[in-house]
Amino acid sequence: MRTPIRLLLSALALTLPIAAQAQDTLYFSAIPDEDETRLSERFDKVADYLTDELGVPVEFVPVKSYPAAVTAFRNDQVQLAWFGGLSGVQARMLVPDARAIAQGDEDQNFVTYFIANTKTGLTESDDFPMAAKGMSFTFGAKTSTSGRLMPEYHIREETGQAPEDFFGRVGFSGDHSQTLRLVASGAWQVGALNFSVYDQAVADGAPEVETARIIWKTPPYPDYNWTIRGDVDARWGEGFADRVQAALIGMDDPDLLAAFPRSAFIAATNDDYAPIETIGQQLDLLE
């Protein structure tokens, strides 16, 4: 009887460290603002970088939608997330002491591009495209800051009407890349998307930019951010959240930054996103 007991104890001794290590893994996610394959390519490399910098295992967890990213953060399935402005506000409202710790340098002054299929005859102007009245229009995801919140806010401000009243037909593409494709194909005449996705398409020589052209740019607003749960110090040690912040701000590998795309990450706080919270409440997108 002693031999099986020894074997059992030995097996437990081997499995316990593995289980403990699994519990120490820091999981992070990101709003799915582009195709899933592209997201995995971007964030698997970031996970490797953070693992090296923090000395703990870090894994990227893909999600299918913006609400799923917020839910994963609320349910502690992920402890760190790359959110848009609105989804970051939503997540921090649900998790005590959660805080924004970093943003891209470009996220201080983010803009949305309104684009139109070239067959509409609409051209770029500093003024809101009032000639788009009655045309079909697509937002991105329903809780996207740059693909829905800010475009809707400016549509209402500039026209005095709800999007459904100003445009002939209104829809939601799901993400910025899809908005570009749908407007380029003519499935929707006009759309709104993240400026960095469009600029990257131009840099990549994507064919869509030939038939989907910029017609208006919104005023700047704060957008994407890294948000971390308030209980990470209790799990990984005092000052862990600050260490994560330092690792993100210290990310200077051009390949990693280009994947976002951002030129650098800088410190951020919850207060930076007060304007997004105010507009989200005005449009009834926050509970």
Side-chain angles (χ1 to χ4, degrees):
M1 295 296 292
R2 290 180 180 178
T3 300
I5 291 174
R6 287 198 193 98
L7 290 173
L8 178 60
L9 291 174
S10 297
L12 285 172
L14 288 172
T15 57
L16 283 174
I18 296 172
Q21 184 179 26
Q23 291 172 355
D24 288 337
T25 299
L26 173 69
Y27 295 99
F28 80 94
S29 193
I31 53 169
D33 57 356
E34 292 190 76
D35 296 335
E36 187 172 334
T37 300
R38 185 174 175 85
L39 288 174
S40 294
E41 291 173 357
R42 287 164 58 182
F43 293 112
D44 284 344
K45 295 175 182 178
V46 175
D48 292 341
Y49 166 79
L50 290 174
T51 295
D52 292 340
E53 291 294 311
L54 300 173
V56 301
V58 179
E59 292 185 19
F60 170 63
V61 179
V63 293
K64 295 293 185 181
S65 68
Y66 282 57
V70 174
T71 298
F73 189 80
R74 180 193 65 193
N75 293 344
D76 197 24
Q77 294 166 292
V78 300
Q79 296 78 45
L80 174 70
W82 175 239
F83 285 127
L86 181 62
S87 52
V89 169
Q90 291 173 322
R92 292 190 294 274
M93 291 176 68
L94 294 169
V95 179
D97 301 320
R99 61 187 180 102
I101 55 174
Q103 61 181 187
D105 189 43
E106 293 80 357
D107 292 303
Q108 301 174 92
N109 296 290
F110 215 79
V111 298
T112 291
Y113 287 167
F114 278 58
I115 58 172
N117 186 279
T118 50
K119 289 183 179 179
T120 64
L122 296 173
T123 57
E124 186 170 3
S125 171
D126 291 336
D127 298 321
F128 185 86
M130 297 299 291
K133 184 175 177 61
M135 294 184 181
S136 62
F137 176 86
T138 183
F139 291 109
K142 291 184 177 180
T143 53
S144 169
T145 307
S146 53
R148 194 276 176 85
L149 178 75
M150 297 311 296
E152 176 163 350
Y153 171 74
H154 286 293
I155 290 166
R156 291 176 179 272
E157 287 290 299
E158 297 288 341
T159 71
Q161 295 180 280
E164 295 78 10
D165 297 324
F166 180 77
F167 293 105
R169 181 167 59 102
V170 174
F172 295 89
S173 71
D175 65 61
H176 302 292
S177 298
Q178 185 72 343
T179 295
L180 178 57
R181 284 192 291 268
L182 290 172
V183 174
S185 71
W188 295 89
Q189 292 173 292
V190 184
L193 82 166
N194 175 326
F195 86 92
S196 66
V197 172
Y198 189 92
D199 286 356
Q200 188 63 51
V202 172
D204 293 343
E208 288 84 358
V209 300
E210 295 301 318
T211 53
R213 300 291 179 84
I214 301 167
I215 57 172
W216 189 65
K217 301 175 183 178
T218 67
Y221 55 88
D223 201 353
Y224 288 71
N225 58 95
W226 286 101
T227 289
I228 197 163
R229 286 179 58 92
D231 54 5
V232 295
D233 283 11
R235 298 163 65 176
W236 282 280
E238 189 67 29
F240 184 77
D242 292 338
R243 289 177 55 210
V244 175
Q245 181 183 49
L248 293 170
I249 294 172
M251 188 187 299
D252 57 6
D253 183 327
D255 290 336
L256 290 179
L257 292 171
F260 282 87
R262 297 294 187 274
S263 59
F265 287 108
I266 60 174
T269 69
N270 293 359
D271 289 344
D272 294 330
Y273 296 89
I276 299 301
E277 182 173 352
T278 298
I279 294 172
Q281 290 170 339
Q282 288 176 2
L283 298 182
D284 293 325
L285 295 177
L286 292 171
E287 296 181 0

